[in-house]
Structures are given as structure tokens and as C-alpha cells.
Amino acid sequence: MALVTPWSVSLALIDAYSVFIKCLPRQPRVLLIVIVGDWALSFLSLAAACSTASVTSLLVNVGTPYCWSKLCSRYQFSAAMAFLSWFLSFASTLFNLWLLPSL
């Protein structure tokens, strides 16, 4: 997940810069790099979300010696946010893939 944050922030900065100068990048190579980067990071994000969910499930099923309620709820919230991050990243990939033929 440490790769997803800088990638998303850099894309947001590039998009904001493009909007402010009113010049959208219309190069297929740039969009292809964004698609491949989003695709790879969405699968890495899915792997992180699944591993977080499995560790949370394991800790909840083991019981209280390893996971008291406040810690388990934090792990569950972390797993939910990881799945949300994966969903949004994958949606970005599909949207950019949809835009690629229009260039």
C-alpha cells in the first residue's frame, strides 16, 4: 500500500495541473502508462486487502488473548478501507481503459 499513495498523489497533481493550464494530455502512451500503473497497483492493493482481511479473521476467531475489541475493530476498519481503495483503483483503471480508444 506504500506504492499506492505516491502514485495516487502524483496522478492527482498531474490532473490538477492539466485542469489549471487547460491542456489535457492527449497522448496514448501517457494514458497507457497510467492504465498499466493503475492495473498493477490495483492488484497489489487487492492482495493487501485480502491479507489484512484474513489476518483479521484469524485474530477474531482465535479470541481475546490476541485481539481485544478495540484492536480487532481497527483491523476490521483497515481491511474495509483496503477493499475500498482497491475498488476505487480498479474503477480508475477501467475508466482509463475506456478512454484509451477515444484518443
Side-chain angles (χ1 to χ4, degrees), residues 80-95:
M81 290 298 107
F83 276 110
L84 178 67
S85 171
W86 165 74
F87 179 74
L88 293 175
S89 177
F90 193 67
S92 171
T93 301
L94 293 178
F95 181 72

Side-chain angles (χ1 to χ4, degrees), residues 10 52 59 69 81:
S10 64
T52 304
L59 288 175
S69 65
M81 290 298 107

Side-chain angles (χ1 to χ4, degrees), residues 11-92:
L11 284 181
L13 289 175
I14 291 170
D15 287 343
Y17 178 74
S18 297
V19 167
F20 285 134
I21 65 167
K22 296 180 180 154
C23 177
L24 299 175
R26 299 232 179 236
Q27 299 169 348
R29 285 187 185 174
V30 173
L31 191 57
L32 189 61
I33 290 171
V34 169
I35 291 170
V36 170
D38 275 347
W39 180 74
L41 289 177
S42 72
F43 279 112
L44 289 174
S45 178
L46 178 62
C50 289
S51 65
T52 304
S54 67
V55 167
T56 303
S57 175
L58 178 71
L59 288 175
V60 167
N61 290 335
V62 166
T64 56
Y66 295 105
C67 185
W68 51 92
S69 65
K70 188 174 182 180
L71 184 63
C72 280
S73 65
R74 286 182 183 174
Y75 281 143
Q76 290 170 342
F77 183 70
S78 173
M81 290 298 107
F83 276 110
L84 178 67
S85 171
W86 165 74
F87 179 74
L88 293 175
S89 177
F90 193 67
S92 171

